[in-house]
Amino acid sequence: MAIETIAVLGAGQMGSGIAQIAATNGYKVIMRDIKQEFCDKGLNTIKSGLDRQVAKGKTTQEAADAIMANITTCVDLKDVAPADFVIEAGPEILSLKQDTFKQLGEICKPDAILCTNTSSMSITKITGECKNPERCIGMHFFSPVYAMKLVEMIKSEYTSEETVAAVREVSEKMKKVPVLCLTDTPGFIVNRCLFAFMLEAIHEYEQGVATIDDIDTAIKLGLNHPMGPFEMMDLSGLDTFPHVTETLEALDVTPWSCPESVKAKIAEGKFGRKSGEGWHKYN
């Protein structure tokens, strides 16, 4: 099946980024969210990013206009029915994702590829009750989508090799580098490593080993990372942290519990860059 139309469920930071990169590379995109105002905000985010690229001479106005023309929006989930390929990028709530995939199984074409952008949850649990679950798979993008080259493909217990091949083809057309996670393990490839790293940085801070600024500086200069762990957490959003750690607690290789200092930040509404303050303050 030729994949021409991609539906992206969610118009937030990840959803709008995925929609933009798909539209940039020639796909017709249906971006869906539960309210039109969320869709409009996602469109404005995409347009603002493109306007900056035009101003910097990195693209032309004609190219930016063509990208925007490739994107339509909708609120009713049934309106994604024409899509050949669906990428769900909603909140990290298992029951919500499960319900979405049950509906997609009834709404979409029998051979449409159905993907979830979850960062850590079981693909089998999310998609197991979807009709024809062999066409379901994890397709995990990284933030910011326009800059990060990696896409993790995660097989469920049912995912077919044909589905993997289709997702690989779409990822490469989007100019991403796909890697395959062979087992449906919590956290997949990257987050299993990343959260062990970030949790240890938090434990160092909580135990008084060093300040947040000095830990960030040490990691950047000592390991040649572009950002320190606290800067990285602020960028991705601290409000996503407990969802991932809860999933990772199923592993017995290291303690994954969400640290109290993170819970305190969340309770204060300090989510990172999106709220103006997390571990660091932002203008």
Side-chain angles (χ1 to χ4, degrees):
M1 176 187 66
I3 296 170
E4 298 177 352
T5 301
I6 295 178
V8 179
L9 309 186
Q13 178 179 331
M14 291 302 297
S16 62
I18 295 168
Q20 178 178 340
I21 208 72
T24 298
N25 290 286
Y27 290 107
K28 297 296 182 183
V29 177
I30 305 169
M31 186 169 66
R32 183 261 178 180
D33 214 313
I34 59 173
K35 293 183 179 180
Q36 187 59 45
E37 64 187 271
F38 297 159
C39 294
D40 293 342
K41 184 177 180 180
L43 284 175
N44 287 335
T45 297
I46 295 170
K47 186 177 186 304
S48 296
L50 292 172
D51 287 345
R52 288 194 294 272
Q53 290 185 35
V54 171
K56 293 177 180 179
K58 294 183 177 181
T59 190
T60 65
Q61 188 61 56
E62 291 76 14
D65 291 343
I67 292 167
M68 294 301 300
N70 277 341
I71 306 172
T72 59
T73 64
C74 68
V75 173
D76 192 334
L77 187 61
K78 292 179 181 178
D79 290 340
V80 308
D84 308 306
F85 195 99
V86 179
I87 305 170
E88 175 271 323
E92 291 285 84
I93 301 171
L94 179 60
S95 59
L96 177 61
K97 291 181 184 292
Q98 289 172 324
D99 181 62
T100 298
F101 273 83
K102 285 181 187 176
Q103 294 184 65
L104 290 174
E106 300 297 330
I107 292 168
C108 296
K109 296 178 284 190
D111 58 349
I113 303 297
L114 307 180
C115 310
T116 174
N117 182 57
T118 182
S119 60
S120 62
M121 291 182 177
S122 168
I123 310 304
T124 302
K125 288 182 179 178
I126 291 172
T127 66
E129 295 186 41
C130 178
K131 186 181 290 185
N132 303 332
E134 67 277 0
R135 41 83 176 262
C136 298
I137 190 171
M139 187 182 190
H140 180 212
F141 291 80
F142 290 78
S143 181
V145 178
Y146 70 88
M148 299 296 282
K149 301 292 288 185
L150 184 66
V151 168
E152 283 182 315
M153 305 183 296
I154 308 97
K155 295 178 68 174
S156 76
E157 294 178 9
Y158 312 104
T159 304
S160 70
E161 293 304 319
E162 290 77 14
T163 297
V164 173
V167 175
R168 188 182 298 278
E169 180 181 340
V170 169
S171 299
E172 290 174 348
K173 184 173 178 180
M174 290 183 181
K175 298 182 174 59
K176 301 299 182 185
V177 178
V179 295
L180 180 60
C181 188
L182 296 170
T183 63
D184 192 9
T185 181
F188 318 137
I189 301 170
V190 172
N191 274 335
R192 279 189 62 163
C193 296
L194 176 61
F195 271 72
F197 168 67
M198 292 193 300
L199 282 165
E200 186 55 35
I202 295 170
H203 294 151
E204 287 186 359
Y205 159 66
E206 290 181 338
Q207 293 165 15
V209 173
T211 66
I212 289 170
D213 285 336
D214 279 354
I215 294 170
D216 273 349
T217 299
I219 295 302
K220 286 188 288 187
L221 300 184
L223 298 180
N224 201 27
H225 287 196
M227 286 189 289
F230 295 97
E231 293 171 322
M232 188 183 304
M233 285 183 272
D234 281 349
L235 179 63
S236 60
L238 290 176
D239 49 327
T240 66
F241 206 95
H243 299 296
V244 181
T245 54
E246 182 179 353
T247 302
L248 291 170
E249 284 178 346
L251 298 169
D252 58 5
V253 293
T254 191
W256 294 107
S257 299
C258 185
E260 292 301 318
S261 55
V262 174
K263 294 178 182 178
K265 292 286 186 185
I266 294 169
E268 295 170 3
K270 298 175 180 178
F271 302 145
R273 291 194 181 193
K274 67 177 75 177
S275 64
E277 183 176 354
W279 296 111
H280 300 278
K281 290 184 179 181
Y282 300 89
N283 295 324

